[in-house]
Each structure stands twice: as C-alpha cells, then as structure tokens.
Amino acid sequence: MFTQLLELATAPHGVDRFLELVRPTWAADDTRARVVAATRETPDVVTLTLRPGRGWARGRAGQHVRLGVEIDGRRHTRCFSLASSEHRTDGLVEVTVKANPDGIVSRHLVATAAPGLVVALGAPEGDFTLPATRPDRLVLVSGGSGITPVMALLRTLVDEGHDRPITFLHYARTPADVIYADELAALGRTHPQLDVHVVTTRGAGTGALTGRFCAAHLEAVVPDLGGAEAYACGPVGLVDAALAHWEQAGAIDRLHVERYSLVAAPSDGAGERASGEGSTGARTHFAGSDVTVTSVGTTLLEQAEAAGLTPAFGCRVGICRTCTRTKVSGRVRDVRSGTVSGSGEEPIQLCVSAPCHDVVVDL
C-alpha cells in the first residue's frame, strides 16, 4: 500500500525514477546491482563483480539470474549463471559473460561494462545445484562458457574444505580461450583431491587430450564412474555426448546437465515435421496485438519477432521463463521434449513452443 501511494505521488515517472537520483541501486519494483569490477578473462569474455542492492537474496552455486541492462534507452534482459561461491562473505557476486555474435546484451557487456554500471538483477533460479549432503566422488564436465556454473560449484566446494575426489574436465577451443585458466591451474596445484584436465578442441593444448568430449576422454581420466555424482554444462554437442555416455554406463540418474543452447526433439505426431519444430501453415494469432501470422515451423517467440512484436525474453532456451505468456487456444509442442500441450488456456514459454495447429496467444 505504501509503495502504491508513492507511485501515485511520484506519477508520471514512478518511484524508481526518483530513487535512481538518490541511489541507483535502490528500486521499488526490482532489485539492482552495481558493477564494482569488470575483468576481461579473454578477448570475448568479461567477469562482472556485482554488489546487489537491498532485498536481493543470495542463491546457490549453479543457479542463474536474469540481468537487465539499458541499451539505447531500452532495457534488455538475459540469463547468466552465477560464477561465485555461495559462501562468499563480502556481499558480492560474479557473473561471467561471453560475447555471443548474435547477442545484443553479451556483446554490449563485453565491450563496455565498467565499474559503476548499474544493472537489474533477478532472483537466483535453477536446480543445477549440489545436494545438501556433498557427494563422496564428483565429476565436473564443461565446455566454453559452460564452465561458469560448474566453476561456482567448484569454488563452493573449495570454500567448504571439501576433501573428497573431484575430477574436472574442461573443453575450450585453444589455450587462449580457457576462462579462469590461471585459477584452475592454481587450484589443481594446491588441492590434491582435485584433478583438473583442460582439453583444447583446435590444435595442441597443454594437456595429453585433444578434440571434443568423447567416452575415451572420460575413461582416460575417470576409469570407473562408480558412484560419482556428475555435472555437465556446455554446448549441445557436449551435453548430448555426456548424456549418451552416462546412459550407456547405466548412471544417467547421477548426471546433472545444463545446456546453453536449444535442442529440438523429434516429433512423433502424425502430419508434423520430424525436425521437432511446429507445423508449417498453421495460423498464429497474437490476440493482444491483433496480429496473425502463418507458421513457418519456428517457435512462437521467433514468429512474434518476425512479425515486429517485441515480447520480453531472457535465455531463449526455456530456462528463465521470462517469455511465458498465456495460450488461449490451440495445441503447441515443446521443441525440447516433443510434448504436445492441451488445447485449452494455459501458460506457455514462447521460446520453446511451436504451434501444432492454429493457436491464439495473449501477446
């Protein structure tokens, strides 16, 4: 009620516009954070050290946050994994951002982020986290910027004095592309229970292994998966290869994965495309905008953007739920799992939903 009264008193600009003038990290409608350090890890990767404002609840290692930044007068929000230990005591948190050639936010942050920048910071989300009872044996696998949440797990375990075996297998294109290279090397030297292997996929690296993740690499560093709990994060190819290996080993229930890009599931529906995308020719009506488009088999988010609409989105892979809207009628398929929805009204994520037939969406 108090905030509502303030909104009325400060109209038309709202409470946040005035709070920004006093202290930029204060806001009534969202939580903000100030960048206190911007460390260039590689030419296309920056680590932002953030001091969250009031009301932000610290998350668990392995979770992600929605980070919003103003670019040309418009706020853009994307998901980034927390990279810091959940036991950090100075009130700061870290996210590491790799510039995506097609990414507005990641390219902006890598190019321009500096101390003093204020960003919006959402609550931590996700279940790519360690169990409360730490495993006796851990295997960590990551590729490229997929190292970020895995590094948060490792830093947390190190802060806890975890003294049981951990094997860390990380993939990068070249030695120059290895994020946290110096820290990984130092941890490997100073923690005898930690076995670190950095593998390069393009040319010779510093270790004995080269090329992309495969069963032979895993067997070389972990001959017996035994009862090890495993975490894998990275590109689709790496995660799928890990899933296949753990499935074959009969240990799939001990593998936790996080993907950084979308993979489509095969369709099993009669008359629908085997690619896992939606049916072509279906009509999608965005009711709130009174716009109707003919489906070309892409997701609803892509269809909306192609029609000139600008729905909010974050991760584009079905993790953050920023793009959730209400489907009024019609059936859609989840392009990750192939699951087809009911025909009635329900919330759906635009980024991972493709129409099976004519649909109406509240957008």
Side-chain angles (χ1 to χ4, degrees):
M1 176 62 75
F2 179 68
T3 300
Q4 292 174 334
L5 291 173
L6 278 178
E7 288 284 359
L8 289 173
T10 55
H13 301 295
V15 178
D16 286 349
R17 179 67 184 88
F18 287 90
L19 288 176
E20 285 175 1
L21 301 175
V22 180
R23 179 169 291 186
T25 55
W26 287 5
D29 293 335
D30 58 15
T31 303
R32 298 179 183 177
R34 183 189 297 277
V35 174
V36 299
T39 305
R40 266 65 190 182
E41 304 279 356
T42 71
D44 60 353
V45 176
V46 63
T47 290
L48 305 180
T49 304
L50 306 171
R51 182 174 296 285
R54 298 183 307 172
W56 191 81
R58 176 176 294 277
R60 297 175 62 190
Q63 291 188 300
H64 59 269
V65 293
R66 303 179 202 188
L67 190 148
V69 60
E70 300 282 343
I71 303 174
D72 295 332
R74 179 184 170 194
R75 177 181 290 187
H76 297 261
T77 302
R78 298 291 185 273
C79 284
F80 297 101
S81 293
L82 293 169
S84 45
S85 166
E86 65 186 51
H87 301 301
R88 189 162 176 161
T89 58
D90 57 6
L92 304 176
V93 295
E94 291 182 6
V95 297
T96 296
V97 179
K98 178 179 174 62
N100 179 335
D102 299 320
I104 295 174
V105 174
S106 62
R107 286 189 291 114
H108 175 81
L109 290 174
V110 169
T112 68
L117 173 68
V118 174
V119 298
L121 189 65
E125 302 175 77
D127 56 5
F128 189 71
T129 56
L130 293 165
T133 301
R134 305 310 195 205
D136 288 332
R137 182 83 174 87
L138 273 163
V139 177
L140 308 176
V141 181
S142 61
S145 58
I147 193 174
T148 307
V150 180
M151 197 65 181
L153 301 180
L154 180 62
R155 286 168 167 167
T156 295
L157 292 166
V158 168
D159 282 350
E160 293 174 355
H162 187 84
D163 58 0
R164 283 158 278 175
I166 302 172
T167 299
F168 196 157
L169 187 57
H170 176 64
Y171 291 79
R173 286 177 299 184
T174 70
D177 294 308
V178 180
I179 304 171
Y180 315 129
D182 292 343
E183 183 178 355
L184 278 177
L187 288 173
R189 289 193 302 269
T190 56
H191 293 75
Q193 82 281 13
L194 176 60
D195 186 22
V196 177
H197 300 268
V198 175
V199 184
T200 53
T201 58
R202 296 182 184 177
T206 57
L209 304 175
T210 58
R212 299 183 185 280
F213 173 82
C214 61
H217 285 181
L218 192 61
E219 290 165 0
V221 299
V222 190
D224 181 11
L225 286 176
E229 207 72 17
Y231 293 77
C233 181
V236 169
L238 182 148
V239 172
D240 284 351
L243 286 166
H245 182 78
W246 261 265
E247 177 78 44
Q248 188 172 20
I252 192 66
D253 59 331
R254 292 198 296 273
L255 176 64
H256 311 264
V257 301
E258 185 100 314
R259 286 186 174 91
Y260 268 24
S261 56
L262 186 62
V263 60
S267 165
D268 58 2
E272 296 170 356
R273 296 178 58 181
S275 67
E277 297 176 342
S279 297
T280 58
R283 288 164 57 85
T284 300
H285 181 58
F286 297 110
S289 309
D290 195 21
V291 170
T292 301
V293 299
T294 299
S295 174
V296 293
T298 55
T299 66
L300 290 169
L301 177 60
E302 292 169 316
Q303 291 183 25
E305 291 175 331
L309 305 181
T310 56
F313 67 88
C315 64
R316 301 184 78 94
V317 293
I319 296 174
C320 73
R321 299 183 179 278
T322 301
C323 64
T324 298
R325 307 292 294 202
T326 298
K327 171 178 67 63
V328 179
S329 64
R331 297 182 187 276
V332 298
R333 179 189 300 115
D334 187 317
V335 300
R336 301 164 299 176
S337 64
T339 302
V340 177
S341 74
S343 59
E345 183 173 309
E346 61 184 315
I348 58 171
Q349 293 173 265
L350 300 181
C351 70
V352 293
S353 298
C356 299
H357 309 287
D358 292 355
V359 296
V360 177
V361 178
D362 183 16
L363 175 65

